[in-house]
Amino acid sequence: MELIFAKSKEGRKGTSLPRTDVPVASAIPEKFRRQKPAELPEVTEQDAVRHYTLLSRKNMGVDTNFYPLGSCTMKYNPKFHERIAVLPGFADLHPLLPQLRHGGGLTQGALAVIYEAQRTLSELLGFADCTMQPLAGAHGELTGIMLIAAYHKTRGDQKRKIMLIPDAAHGTNPASAAVGGFECREVATDSEGNVCIEDLKSKLGQDVAGFMLTCPSTLGLFDKNVKEVCELVHQAGGLNYCDGANLNAIMGRVRPGDIGFDVMHVNLHKTFATPHGGGGPGSGPVGVAECLVPYLPVSRIDKRDDGTYALQYHCDDSIGYIAPFYGNFGVILKAYAYMLSLGREGFKRVSENAVLSANYMRVRLKEHFAQKVDRVCMHECVMSASPQAEKGVHALDIAKALIDRGFHPPTMYFPLIVPEALMIEPTETESKETLDEFIDALIEIAELVDTNPEEILKCPVTTPVRRLDETAAARKPVVADLA
Ligand SMILES: *Cc1c(COP(=O)(O)O)cnc(C)c1O
């Protein structure tokens, strides 16, 4: 890679500002100022612009390439909603501005957005109420787990120490349950990809606090027995937690609250118009059934009789603070704009197209790859490269070959119960032509496995760096190669 440091020449400048004719004063106190000059490259403006433009072109993202990453619903992010989020009336608000009209009119609009987003989401999910505070999906999970703990504690039912979690679950589920003080116990998946009812029954008892189920599951399937599962857990005195990361397969069609779930998180940065990847910002609102409303975290938003909104900090049974101020307000704002722009029919269209695209892919690919269960899928299809692996080409190699063909790879090796998993989520907004190009590339790669597997094992050949030690790249990144 052309490095900007290599182009540095002492004294070269990127700007030509007029000479200042007033004394230079620094606003930064002496003790905080850098002692030695920063070792920045000295280059022309053009060199600096070219450097950053070239770097940006080396990124692969939804704005440059098809990005069918499964499990995380990396979906539509209308650019228009980004513009709404930076409107100065929203973006420039300080969280400590007064809330009420007497001098506080500035925040009433923001509070209204949170309140209305909360109401719309509760309606969409079929819950009594929700909190917009959690800052990510995993944070929402922890919040939900704390609500379940508070519920059992209030009832004096403190022997319930077990959280049941299916073997297909996302890693954050057992992590959240453990951080919340529970012991995790695994529930098996049956041969059809549903929760194994017999195994669930054998694990339910007086010590079970709840069951965390991803709906639709990480296998991309809607559990046919989900209602029975929820009833069994209730009969045993437990609560049902829904991991809603895959909501866009069902939104507008099924309300998890109606099925029997008591608490659920959704990922606004997956389902509601905030791009993700690269670490945020995110938002993981949590919806709850009536029995958990008293424990919701502060702050809560009230709408008063006079039409004003106010944050409530004093709620006796609340689990307390889980995030400061308003949560990730910019993300909530984009989600609310998205909900308004979709409306009831729009939500249905999103889920319909997401499911249609995934099934189109599944059916076209199933002759070429293996499947754990051959069944209509939801928003994503989980294929397995186990036939290719037998010939020495693994899911990872296929992913690298896709990069050379201009596609972001799908999620690999997840869920753990599918060997050589390629979890593909086409999303609802890609054209049939794009889906076909991707499918054709995968089929071409599958055929190469038989004729010239060596070529796949060499991939990627089009990227600035080839195969990295991925653990070292994450743990000990070399962000500027000065050699
Ligand atoms: C993404 C995801 C999570 C965690 O959400 P974050 O927002 O990344 O913390 C949990 N469960 C499933 C199924 C997911 O896909």
Side-chain angles (χ1 to χ4, degrees):
M1 206 196 304
E2 278 279 314
L3 278 168
I4 197 162
F5 287 93
K7 292 197 173 161
S8 184
K9 284 274 182 305
E10 203 179 325
R12 195 167 275 176
K13 283 221 163 52
T15 52
S16 51
L17 296 175
R19 227 172 248 289
T20 161
D21 55 4
V22 292
V24 179
S26 175
I28 303 173
E30 177 65 30
K31 63 176 172 176
F32 296 127
R33 262 183 268 161
R34 189 180 281 121
Q35 298 307 312
K36 284 193 289 179
E39 289 175 30
L40 296 175
E42 297 178 73
V43 293
T44 64
E45 177 178 335
Q46 268 171 327
D47 280 339
V49 170
R50 283 178 195 151
H51 172 73
Y52 286 109
T53 306
L54 286 173
L55 277 187
S56 76
R57 288 206 210 150
K58 290 185 166 67
N59 277 336
M60 195 182 241
V62 275
D63 289 342
T64 56
N65 298 73
F66 179 47
Y67 204 117
L69 191 72
S71 163
C72 288
T73 322
M74 181 80 170
K75 59 185 293 298
Y76 186 38
N77 309 130
K79 295 290 176 271
F80 180 57
H81 296 166
E82 299 294 332
R83 290 190 60 183
I84 292 173
V86 298
L87 288 175
F90 289 126
D92 296 347
L93 279 184
H94 191 282
L96 285 176
L97 280 169
Q99 299 167 36
L100 287 177
R101 276 225 177 103
H102 37 272
L106 289 174
T107 57
Q108 282 296 305
L111 296 180
V113 165
I114 303 172
Y115 182 84
E116 293 302 332
Q118 203 168 282
R119 274 194 354 149
T120 311
L121 203 55
S122 302
E123 172 64 23
L124 183 70
L125 304 176
F127 286 119
D129 206 347
C130 68
T131 170
M132 305 303 282
Q133 293 267 314
L135 304 173
H139 196 202
E141 289 172 33
L142 178 62
T143 306
I145 290 292
M146 289 166 73
L147 296 173
I148 293 176
Y151 169 88
H152 291 305
K153 187 172 173 206
T154 311
R155 295 157 59 96
D157 205 355
Q158 269 152 297
K159 61 192 175 307
R160 294 187 181 269
K161 283 287 166 212
I162 308 279
M163 194 58 66
L164 297 180
I165 301 178
D167 53 8
H170 192 272
T172 50
N173 290 185
S176 303
V179 173
F182 292 99
E183 195 185 305
C184 304
R185 202 162 288 169
E186 197 170 279
V187 177
T189 301
D190 71 14
S191 61
E192 272 201 77
N194 300 314
V195 170
C196 176
I197 297 283
E198 289 318 306
D199 196 44
L200 174 65
K201 280 184 182 162
S202 76
K203 284 168 186 164
L204 280 172
Q206 306 248 310
D207 54 352
V208 170
F211 185 39
M212 289 182 95
L213 183 62
T214 306
C215 177
S217 74
T218 57
L219 286 164
L221 299 174
F222 192 84
D223 197 305
K224 289 181 181 163
N225 307 321
V226 64
K227 232 176 140 73
E228 186 185 354
V229 166
C230 288
E231 276 163 21
L232 286 169
V233 172
H234 279 161
Q235 278 161 20
L239 295 180
N240 291 299
Y241 184 97
C242 180
D243 179 327
N246 296 335
L247 177 69
N248 87 322
I250 57 171
M251 66 179 180
R253 298 186 171 266
V254 180
R255 304 198 317 162
D258 296 341
I259 299 176
F261 287 105
D262 304 290
V263 48
M264 169 180 192
H265 84 265
V266 298
N267 309 59
L268 296 188
H269 50 290
K270 293 181 180 176
T271 313
F272 293 93
T274 279
H276 79 283
S283 176
V286 171
V288 292
E290 206 63 61
C291 66
L292 293 176
V293 172
Y295 313 110
L296 282 170
V298 288
S299 57
R300 309 279 311 128
I301 291 194
D302 274 350
K303 185 172 182 181
R304 306 177 165 191
D305 292 340
D306 65 359
T308 57
Y309 301 90
L311 292 170
Q312 272 296 345
Y313 294 99
H314 304 288
C315 308
D316 287 345
D317 294 322
S318 166
I319 58 168
Y321 285 94
I322 49 128
F325 302 117
Y326 306 92
N328 263 335
F329 177 71
V331 180
I332 298 170
L333 175 59
K334 280 187 274 184
Y336 182 53
Y338 190 55
M339 293 184 217
L340 287 183
S341 63
L342 285 179
R344 194 177 288 273
E345 290 309 311
F347 283 126
K348 285 188 187 164
R349 223 170 33 246
V350 165
S351 47
E352 192 171 271
N353 286 339
V355 172
L356 181 64
S357 298
N359 279 286
Y360 178 69
M361 228 165 228
R362 181 182 65 84
V363 171
R364 275 205 63 198
L365 288 172
K366 76 182 188 180
E367 279 169 45
H368 305 274
F369 295 89
Q371 269 186 295
K372 186 176 164 70
V373 250
D374 186 4
R375 208 179 118 179
V376 171
C377 65
M378 301 302 290
H379 62 300
E380 62 197 358
C381 61
V382 182
M383 310 307 291
S384 161
S386 47
Q388 286 76 20
E390 278 172 28
K391 297 170 190 160
V393 175
H394 293 268
L396 178 77
D397 306 313
I398 294 173
K400 301 294 183 200
L402 280 169
I403 295 174
D404 279 346
R405 286 155 180 79
F407 300 103
H408 191 284
T411 296
M412 300 170 291
Y413 302 107
F414 180 75
L416 302 176
I417 56 173
V418 177
E420 300 288 336
L422 287 170
M423 179 195 244
I424 309 169
E425 178 168 4
T427 81
E428 73 280 6
T429 44
E430 297 291 344
S431 67
K432 179 169 176 296
E433 289 76 11
T434 303
L435 302 187
D436 281 328
E437 281 167 22
F438 178 76
I439 295 167
D440 292 343
L442 265 180
I443 295 175
E444 184 241 321
I445 295 166
E447 284 166 355
L448 259 186
V449 173
D450 291 321
T451 57
N452 189 1
E454 290 303 311
E455 201 181 309
I456 302 175
L457 300 177
K458 275 189 251 155
C459 296
V461 297
T462 57
T463 49
V465 286
R466 305 278 295 275
R467 294 209 186 189
L468 298 170
D469 173 342
E470 290 178 9
T471 312
R475 300 263 158 83
K476 297 179 195 155
V478 180
V479 289
D481 182 359
L482 295 175

